[in-house]
Amino acid sequence: MRIHAIETGRVRIKKAQIEGGGHGLWRQLQPMLSPDWADWSPVYAWAIEHPEGVIVVDTGAAAHLKSLPCWHPYFQLAVRFDIEPEQEVGPQLRRRGIGPRDVKTVVLTHMHIDHDGGLAHFPYSRILASGEEIARTSGIGGAILGYLPRRWPSWFAPQPVNWQPSSYGPFERTARISTAGDVIAVPTPGHTPSHLSVIVRDGADEIMLAGDASYLETTMLAGKVDGVSPDEAVAAATLGRIREFCSQRPVVYLPAHDPRAAERLQQRRAAAAPARLRERELVVG
Ligand SMILES: [Zn+2]
């Protein structure tokens, strides 16, 4: 299966958002209060050329994000976008020969503004998202939490992901995305309460499109919770589960803002989780 890494512009956030500092409310305030900006990060959307039709995971950022509501402190203090209209996911897919009618399914890992930004490019697709995530981020309540439900397309009516009690590795529930079952969703709560990730099984390769489960592969491996997860314990448990998954088998782990993600996808390079590292050392030693 061909998987495209589509860089929809760049985002700049604080270092304290990528890796949380301290605990409790203090950790969650740091992304706004800290003066330390991180370098610009990519904003990836992913397109899987699947025999059942193209599956897009997250829709990336959009040029409208260069202007954000001025009343929200997070938008004012903690985030900047750099993206032109031709860098949005729709035009980039078209340049790769994929038109809007070729995209059968769009899966949203969560509803943050740099993941639902390109929704307008997919009027003909089935759109899947966590039902709880949609409920929490809709309307005025969602706007207060830092989402932009007023910018969703008028036709936006996502289907809730259909969770089944069948486990996969350390993940207790799964939801089929492809009928063949080679593309599945797994719950990865933490960064948002109902965040999900998508796992693609392509021959011997397992590719995890992880949204913002962590910002980097390194912070996942180190178990470092980000600065915005509402519940630190839930986020830490998810990072532990992903680490366990990566130690059970080779997993190409691809968060949406990891500057090394496209390169790892191209090389199909798996995360060096502790157990597998030990294995590798034994082979070498
Ligand atoms: Zn996010």
Side-chain angles (χ1 to χ4, degrees), residues 32 52 73 108 128 135 189 193 211 217 220 227 246 254 266:
M32 285 180 280
E52 296 171 20
L108 297 165
L128 297 174
E217 181 185 87
M220 178 276 289
C246 294
L254 305 177
Q266 199 190 10

Side-chain angles (χ1 to χ4, degrees), residues 110 112 114-115 191-192 195 212 215 257:
H110 64 304
H112 276 157
D114 49 341
H115 296 257
H191 177 76
T192 65
H195 187 284
D212 292 352
Y215 286 102
H257 303 292

